[in-house]
Amino acid sequence: MRNLVARVSLTVVSLAIFISTTSAHPDVHEVGLLFHFAPGVHKIQNGEIADLSHSATARVEGKTSIATVGPTEAFVMNGKTDWLTIAGSVEDAKKLLPTKEFTVAAWVNLNAQTEWGGICGLIRDNGDSEQGWMLGYNQSKFTFALASKGSDDGNGRLTVLAGKTDVELGRWCHVVATYDGVTMRLYVNGKSDGESTAQSGDILYPTKGTYTIGCFIDDNEQYPLDGAVYEVKAYSRVLSADDIASISTKNANLIKAASITKLQFLVKPYLQFGTQTSMTVMCETSRKTKMTVDFAERQPLAKKNATPESQLISELVLTDLKPQTSYFYRVTCEDDAGGSVVSDLSSFQTAPKSDSPWAFTVVGDTQRNPEITRKCAEYAYALRPNFMLHCGDVVDNGHAKNQWLKDLFEPMSVLTSRVPMFPVIGNHEGNSHWYYDYFSLPKPEYFYTFEYGNSQFFMIDSNKPLAPDSEQYKLLEKALASSKATWKITCHHHPCFTSDDNDYGDHIGGKGGEPSWGDKNAQQLVPLYEKYGVDIAFNGHVHNYERTWPIYRMTINQKKGVRYITSGGGGGHLETAAPQRAWFSVHHKSVYHICYATVHDRTIQFKAIDLEGRMFDMFEMTKPEDR
Ligand SMILES: [Fe+2]
Ligand SMILES: [Fe+2]
């Protein structure tokens, strides 16, 4: 009975105090308060900031600053280097970590929807080893991840509770997670956004970890928050739904405040599908905008084209252009509230006339290695190609949106803002909708063909079936049969011929099996290539470089053969060739690289170049008139 009385009076006290919170002056006696970080009373001093309850001091990482964001001051974080470290180890974090019941409540204002952004917590999610907790977000939803002793499978098991409410970029949002030893609950702006009973009992903590505000961080992952944090409070007790609703109601002005974060490009303007008379310009903005492209052969940019509707990913096709002509262009995106963002002045060139010389570069398997991918783009752009062919695996995980932003488009912007990229889809894209959203290609997009100069390219999805009765086989045969191009070039991700050790050379790769020397599915296209005189077949997937002799009916035939070129050196971890030589191989090298081909009339010059600028393979071929 005494216990019950005590508990009732405690609830009354805590509720009364709680209504007065969310200010820069907390009541230090607030029951169960573990810490209360908010800018205002304390400033950043010597790279640290003290919390308002005198319980903790956080290290200020990167360029985290305190700035006015709408009606309040807030910690501003850039999504790359910025967050607060409350404790750098589990040992140091101990007195500030709840053991079972807890609440973590935060005001956040996000600039971008990214993968696994962290708001507050101490977590470890390395393979099967999962411990700790984290209030955060993943793409468009807030999330609450927790591992408890009741659901421990030996090395911990996290439940990631995802909310229902869409994250609205540029607006303040009150996000709260609670756990009472039985139920995990997530609240957004005072309303329940989801709950789970998958976890139970005490929280299971890792032996090492970092307690942060504004970053999901563990041994192999780091997902900093891109936006602003006004306040984060943690309690070793559970706030009720009513408590949480009152805080949101009390701060309705903050929630209603107009969208105030800076409108920005998530993907700077890039080019797609250039032809002799058209160029597609695309970009992505942090909020829905209408995109305008100003363009002309010379300044001032007298021509204008605009999208009719506001979009996050915008796309405009500039038409009626002159062939083989350079244009300057600039992109302006405007939101409904009158905010705007303007790109740098850039330029593009339309495709050449069919009798003119031209050039293209090739890269593959950029995956998730932005510094290598950046070098590939810089080396490629230095050669001033007309376009870039991408052999697939453009990112490591096609479903992770921020990989498209940070591992593909950002490092490749130097190139993709000036020349279009023509991709094929690899296995790492996972057939994600992002591939189809970010690339503007003729339907059905996984298969398409385009003419360039005196050549025609055939772009194929080798993840899909390629047997003679398949859709793509038929599409390809029709397109090849009707092609009048001097040069016929195909591109798909998986190799028809490779001396790769890992995937296809299993007899000597330690597995003792029969080698396939290539992808069985892709190899079904070889008879078509030979029948219709394909000159070069590009592929990626194997993370190295390889060129074959011209192959015809499984022998080397200088006159009728097809050259197969693997170019998978754009960023994915490098692979090696099988220990014994493959019969068809001319040259292979395990190296990050790009390829560069120049074409004039019936002659192609081809080079493979490493990222020190050294040419390590080349050939020239002139095609006889009768081929
Ligand atoms: Fe790959
Ligand atoms: Fe691949």
Side-chain angles (χ1 to χ4, degrees), residues 11 71 94 102 151 186 195 220 256-257 294 324 384 393 405 415 481 483 511 565 596 617:
T11 306
K94 242 174 197 157
F102 79 106
S151 296
L186 188 63
E195 60 178 65
N220 56 7
K256 282 188 190 135
D294 295 286
Q324 204 172 312
R384 299 296 189 268
D393 283 359
L405 308 187
L415 180 80
S483 178
K511 296 172 199 162
I565 295 175
Y596 171 63
D617 187 32

Side-chain angles (χ1 to χ4, degrees), residues 364-367 392-396 426-428 493 540-543 568 572-573 575:
D365 301 80
T366 38
Q367 303 211 174
D393 283 359
V394 299
V395 291
D396 201 53
N427 51 310
H428 277 261
H493 184 60
H541 193 56
V542 179
H543 298 173
H573 67 93
E575 296 177 84

Side-chain angles (χ1 to χ4, degrees), residues 270 272 282-284 313-315 401 404 409 432-441 445:
Y270 61 101
Q272 284 281 282
M282 296 185 71
C283 73
E284 182 178 21
I313 299 176
S314 295
E315 173 178 341
K401 181 180 160 64
W404 293 85
F409 285 112
S432 154
H433 68 91
W434 295 117
Y435 183 87
Y436 301 93
D437 294 347
Y438 281 122
F439 295 128
S440 176
L441 306 165
E445 294 201 78

Side-chain angles (χ1 to χ4, degrees), residues 490 492 494-498 517 522-531 534-539 545-555 560-567 583-587 606 617 619 621:
T490 66
H492 46 73
H494 299 83
C496 294
F497 293 94
T498 174
W517 297 124
Q523 284 172 347
Q524 298 180 97
L525 298 178
V526 168
L528 277 187
Y529 292 180
E530 295 179 353
K531 181 175 175 187
V534 166
D535 299 286
I536 304 175
F538 285 105
N539 66 269
Y545 170 83
E546 183 161 22
R547 173 163 67 93
T548 71
W549 286 104
I551 299 172
Y552 185 78
R553 297 192 180 167
M554 295 304 275
T555 56
K560 291 183 172 172
V562 183
R563 286 165 168 80
Y564 296 86
I565 295 175
T566 295
S567 182
W583 62 270
F584 47 74
S585 190
V586 174
H587 193 138
F606 177 92
D617 187 32
F619 70 90
M621 72 169 166

Side-chain angles (χ1 to χ4, degrees), residues 56 63 79 106 156 170 179 201-202 230 248 304 440 504 543 554 582 594:
K63 295 175 189 153
Y179 174 63
D202 284 357
Y230 157 47
S248 294
K304 194 183 274 290
S440 176
Y504 304 111
H543 298 173
M554 295 304 275
I594 56 163

